[in-house]
Amino acid sequence: MMKRFALCFLMAWLLVQAVWTNGANAAAGFDDIDGHWAEQQINELASLGIIKSNGKHLFYPNKPISRGEALALLNRVVEKVYGSLDLPQRKENLDYNFLLRGEVEQLLVNMKTVWQVETNALSTYDPVDRMLYYLYLAESGQLIKKQQKENPKWWLSSAALQQSLSREEASLLLFHVLAPQKFRTANLKPQDAATYFDSFYEWKQDRYYRDTYSPYPLAIREFQLFLTEKTFSPDKVMTRAEYAVVMKRLLDYYRIDTLAQFRAAINQQQKIAQLYLRSANLAWEKKDQARLSVVFSPDALKSMAALPQVPKYNGPVTITSKVDINDPKILWLIGFYPDPVKGDFQIEYKLEQADANAFGRKITAVIYSEK
């Protein structure tokens, strides 16, 4: 009897997990969300490939979402906006056997890159490490709060990542994913970031919600992801539908934010430009045709193929930007690439407005020159 129960449980879990894995290529259409209050958001995420069908056409909207699924879905939202920003790296304190480990590790390097660009790589604070460590504390049944002594051998097991995600844990994940935006809106200096974020871990922030002292729900309130007043219900388990709605709101926020950065002061404009070019150059190195098609025009791709020197996505670069003198809707990004072996070079990227990606711009011309 116990063996039969365990087998049924495993089969049910694998079925739920399959909805979120990359292996499913079937068109995402779900038979169990008709008339559901989150139907529209689920379908929109599915149309974007963020939520994938497992071929059974079932989403299980009212089932709990697991921590690992939540992290994987976060990465798909981040990559829908920025694209891949780095190659995934093995995270030693993350269980190698976890089914969605690859997507979680991709999220971690994407988060790290956005943080480093936002802070000019001058901050010692690491939102990636802190996010996983405090998730480990939650799994250990402890307050998600700074301890007197940290466990240096902490480890997130596959079993821990398969556990249901609470609303407080969801706010913790989002707090760290949005750390670059928190850094920016707080108008911090890089050297002050660690102290600022420590004030959250030490629970020294003012209380807002009646039913929790946890600072993470209040920390992300400015992003309007949960739309809750007075109470937050931090211990309540999040359903797959509830989390999908939060992800849709996060995607909408990112879309507004990336467009606003291109219209911001020159310093911020160059930061978003750096992320844009990093994503584009990584897509070129990986020959990621899907991503290339949304960041380059066909003519620009031909020009890239003819370049005598192609910039590495993670190589040294100094980026400046300027508005086209004849058309204010056109932006030029000028990347200077030092190369001690083949010689320094410069590439000018012409960005025209387009709806193909969240940046709202597409590279339509590439001009190379030696320096």
Side-chain angles (χ1 to χ4, degrees), residues 277 281 296 303-304 307-312 317-320 332-337 344-350 363 365-371:
L277 292 182
N281 289 328
F296 287 99
S303 298
M304 286 287 292
L307 292 179
Q309 291 172 275
V310 178
K312 293 185 176 297
V317 58
T318 301
I319 296 174
T320 58
W332 288 90
L333 302 179
I334 301 95
F336 175 77
Y337 302 90
D344 301 345
F345 64 100
Q346 176 179 291
I347 296 180
E348 297 179 61
Y349 304 87
K350 183 181 181 182
I363 299 172
V366 176
I367 302 175
Y368 169 90
S369 60
E370 295 181 355
K371 294 293 178 182

Side-chain angles (χ1 to χ4, degrees), residues 262 269 321-334 348-354 360-365 367:
F262 270 118
Q269 188 180 96
S321 60
K322 65 180 182 180
V323 175
D324 190 276
I325 58 175
N326 298 315
D327 188 344
K329 294 182 179 180
I330 295 175
L331 181 68
W332 288 90
L333 302 179
I334 301 95
E348 297 179 61
Y349 304 87
K350 183 181 181 182
L351 268 64
E352 297 191 56
Q353 293 184 351
R361 296 173 184 272
K362 182 178 266 193
I363 299 172
T364 58
I367 302 175

Side-chain angles (χ1 to χ4, degrees), residues 172-270:
L172 175 79
L173 301 185
L174 291 160
F175 169 73
H176 288 91
V177 168
L178 291 165
Q181 287 75 18
K182 291 288 295 183
F183 173 87
R184 190 195 318 149
T185 57
N187 198 27
L188 297 173
K189 295 179 180 179
Q191 59 268 28
D192 297 331
T195 301
Y196 172 75
F197 285 97
D198 262 352
S199 70
F200 291 92
Y201 301 131
E202 294 167 355
W203 288 26
K204 291 182 177 179
Q205 296 290 321
D206 292 336
R207 181 181 181 183
Y208 178 82
Y209 294 103
R210 294 175 180 173
D211 56 351
T212 181
Y213 286 97
S214 174
Y216 310 111
L218 175 57
I220 63 168
R221 189 170 184 271
E222 64 181 286
F223 304 106
Q224 296 293 299
L225 303 177
F226 281 86
L227 303 183
T228 182
E229 295 290 338
K230 298 181 180 179
T231 60
F232 189 77
S233 303
D235 298 325
K236 182 181 176 183
V237 170
M238 291 202 74
T239 67
R240 296 162 65 81
E242 289 169 340
Y243 193 77
V245 170
V246 170
M247 291 298 97
K248 172 59 170 60
R249 291 171 184 159
L250 178 65
L251 179 63
D252 291 343
Y253 167 78
Y254 272 138
R255 285 168 167 168
I256 295 172
D257 185 57
T258 51
L259 292 174
Q261 287 184 71
F262 270 118
R263 298 191 295 266
I266 191 68
N267 179 56
Q268 195 60 44
Q269 188 180 96
Q270 290 173 358

Side-chain angles (χ1 to χ4, degrees), residues 280 282-285 287-297 301 362:
L282 178 56
W284 179 262
E285 287 193 24
K287 303 304 179 188
D288 182 349
Q289 298 301 323
R291 186 64 186 174
L292 288 172
S293 67
V294 301
V295 291
F296 287 99
S297 71
L301 283 175
K362 182 178 266 193

Side-chain angles (χ1 to χ4, degrees), residues 13-27:
W13 178 81
L14 289 173
L15 184 60
V16 172
Q17 288 281 93
V19 178
W20 302 85
T21 59
N22 275 326
N25 295 317

